[in-house]
Amino acid sequence: MSKGSTREIVVSGIRSTGILHLGNYFGAMRNYVRMQDDYNCFFFIADWHSLTTHPDTRELSESVHRVLAEYLACGLDPKKVTLYVQSDIPEIAELYLLLNMLAYKGELEKTASFKDKVRNQPDNVNAGLLTYPVLMASDILVHRAVKVPVGKDQEQHLEVARNFAHRFNHRYGLEVFPEPYAFNFGQDLLKVPSLDGAGKMSKSENQMATLYLGDDDDVIRKKVMKAKTDNGPTEPNTPMPDYIENLFLLMRLVSDNATLLHFTDAYNNASIRYGDMKKALAEDMIRFIAPIRESARELEKNKGYLHQVMKEGADKARASASATLLEVRKAMGMMYSFLP
Ligand code: TYM
C-alpha cells in the first residue's frame, strides 16, 4: 500500500468571498500548511457556499483565483495536497442531494450561522442558506475525512456533519462514513479577534478592524494604530479588559517571545504605553503579511499555472469523491446502470 492511502484524510475549505484575513490564516490555513506532510489533505475553495449571498459571479471568479493564489502563497504545495474548486466536483452536489433527505428543517434552523444570516440578510433567506451545513457535510464526507482544520466559528457545523455521517450509516446499515472532527494542533479551536475589541475578524464586518493578507504596509499600520485601547492600568497586575487581551493575542500570533514578554511585563507593572505596543505589533504584522501579499499578487497574475493546479486538483478530488459515491450508492442499493 502506498504511504498516501494509509494516512488520515483531512478536508477543509475557505469561501471565495474576497481576500483572506488573519482569522482565516491562523484559524485554518496555518494548520493546512502544517498538515500537508503527514496527512492526505484535500483543501478547496468553497465557491458554491459563496453563492448564498448572491455575489456578482465575475467577482466570484476573481475571488476563486485570489484564494488559490493565497493558498499557494501561504505555502501549500500542490504536489503534496489536493487543491481544487468545489464546483469542479459534481459528486459533492450528488451527496448533498442525498444528505438533504436526512436533514431536518428544525435542526438546520437552529444553527448559529443560519440565525446570523437571517438577521444580516432578511430579504434573502434562500434554501441554500438553510442547507449550508448539509453542503459543508458533503464537502467533508465526500472524501471520508476524519480531521477538519477550522476555526472556532465552524465547530457547530462539524457537529452537524457528524450527525449526518452517523445517520447515513445507521439508516443504510453500512459504515460508509467515519465521523469527522474539527481540528487544531494541540489546542482549542481558535478565534482571532477583531481590532475594534468586538467579536471576531471577518470578511464582511468592520473592514478597518480586519487585517487582510492583501493589506499594504501603510494600511496595516493605520488599522493597528486605530485599535481600541485606553489610558492603561494605574495599578500593577490589573485584570486585562477584553480589547487589550485581544491585542496581546494578536501579538502572540506574529511577534517573538521577547517582544511579548516586554509588553506583558510593562502591563503588569502598570507602565505600558499602548502607542509603543501598537507600533511594535504593526511592524511585526507587516513582517508577517508582506511576503504573503507579494507572493499572492505574483501568483495571481499567472493564470496558466493556477489553471493547471485547479485542473490537477479537480482530477484527484473527483477520483476520491467518485469512489465514495460508489460506496454510497452500494449502501443505498441504487446501482441500476452500474450493474453488469
Ligand atoms: P470561511 O470562509 O468563513 O472561513 C475559512 C476558515 O477560516 C476560519 N476563520 C477563523 N478562524 C479563527 N478566527 C477567525 N476570526 C476566523 N474567521 C474565519 C474559519 O473557521 C474557517 O476554518 N463554511 C466554511 C467553509 C467550508 C468548509 C467546508 C470548511 C465549506 N465547506 C468543509 C471546512 C470543511 C466557511 O464559511 O469558512
Side-chain angles (χ1 to χ4, degrees), residues 54-190:
H54 294 175
D56 175 329
T57 45
R58 262 176 319 222
E59 278 172 27
L60 179 62
S61 153
E62 265 172 42
S63 266
V64 167
H65 287 98
R66 174 74 204 188
V67 176
L68 180 60
E70 283 174 328
Y71 272 163
L72 298 166
C74 289
L76 287 179
D77 178 351
K79 293 198 178 62
K80 295 181 182 165
V81 301
T82 304
L83 290 178
Y84 58 98
V85 184
Q86 185 184 35
S87 62
D88 276 339
I89 318 298
E91 289 80 4
I92 296 172
E94 185 179 344
L95 186 56
Y96 170 59
L97 182 149
L98 298 171
L99 293 181
N100 266 322
M101 309 302 168
L102 304 178
Y104 295 98
K105 180 169 160 276
E107 67 182 335
L108 297 174
E109 278 170 344
K110 267 195 275 176
T111 57
S113 59
F114 180 69
K115 288 192 200 156
D116 278 354
K117 284 283 161 41
V118 171
R119 215 174 304 123
N120 295 336
Q121 51 178 79
D123 299 331
N124 181 20
V125 184
N126 56 66
L129 270 185
L130 183 68
T131 57
Y132 186 109
V134 189
L135 182 55
M136 187 161 155
S138 309
D139 293 326
I140 297 166
L141 300 179
V142 86
H143 300 300
R144 288 173 275 184
V146 287
K147 286 197 169 74
V148 184
V150 284
K152 181 92 184 141
D153 59 314
Q154 299 297 317
E155 199 169 25
Q156 194 182 27
H157 288 156
L158 263 295
E159 195 184 315
V160 175
R162 276 196 298 284
N163 287 342
F164 293 153
H166 180 76
R167 218 173 278 169
F168 183 96
N169 293 345
H170 183 70
R171 169 158 290 265
Y172 298 109
L174 282 175
E175 287 294 309
V176 175
F177 299 120
E179 291 184 14
Y181 283 87
F183 178 82
N184 185 26
F185 275 99
Q187 342 148 3
D188 294 338
L189 301 179
L190 208 68

Side-chain angles (χ1 to χ4, degrees), residues 46-60:
D47 59 337
W48 276 335
H49 275 109
S50 313
L51 291 177
T52 53
T53 52
H54 294 175
D56 175 329
T57 45
R58 262 176 319 222
E59 278 172 27
L60 179 62

Side-chain angles (χ1 to χ4, degrees), residues 214-227:
D215 280 346
D216 283 319
D217 294 355
D218 50 337
V219 174
I220 299 173
R221 274 191 201 100
K222 205 160 135 198
K223 287 182 178 177
V224 174
M225 293 315 287
K226 272 178 108 86

Side-chain angles (χ1 to χ4, degrees), residues 11-15 21 23-24 27-28 32 44 46 49 86 132 136 139-140 148-154 157 190-193 200-203:
V11 167
S12 193
I14 299 182
R15 271 174 309 147
H21 54 71
N24 300 133
Y32 300 180
F44 67 96
H49 275 109
Q86 185 184 35
Y132 186 109
M136 187 161 155
D139 293 326
I140 297 166
V148 184
V150 284
K152 181 92 184 141
D153 59 314
Q154 299 297 317
H157 288 156
L190 208 68
K191 173 180 146 187
V192 177
K200 60 176 173 127
M201 268 194 200
S202 98
K203 287 179 212 157

Side-chain angles (χ1 to χ4, degrees), residues 3-48:
K3 196 184 169 202
S5 59
T6 58
R7 291 182 302 175
E8 270 187 312
I9 299 172
V10 169
V11 167
S12 193
I14 299 182
R15 271 174 309 147
S16 42
T17 42
I19 292 175
L20 303 192
H21 54 71
L22 221 60
N24 300 133
Y25 184 86
F26 286 105
M29 186 79 86
R30 179 173 62 171
N31 283 334
Y32 300 180
V33 177
R34 287 180 181 171
M35 293 177 103
Q36 65 180 336
D37 288 312
D38 300 321
Y39 295 87
N40 184 9
C41 296
F42 294 85
F43 297 129
F44 67 96
I45 300 159
D47 59 337
W48 276 335

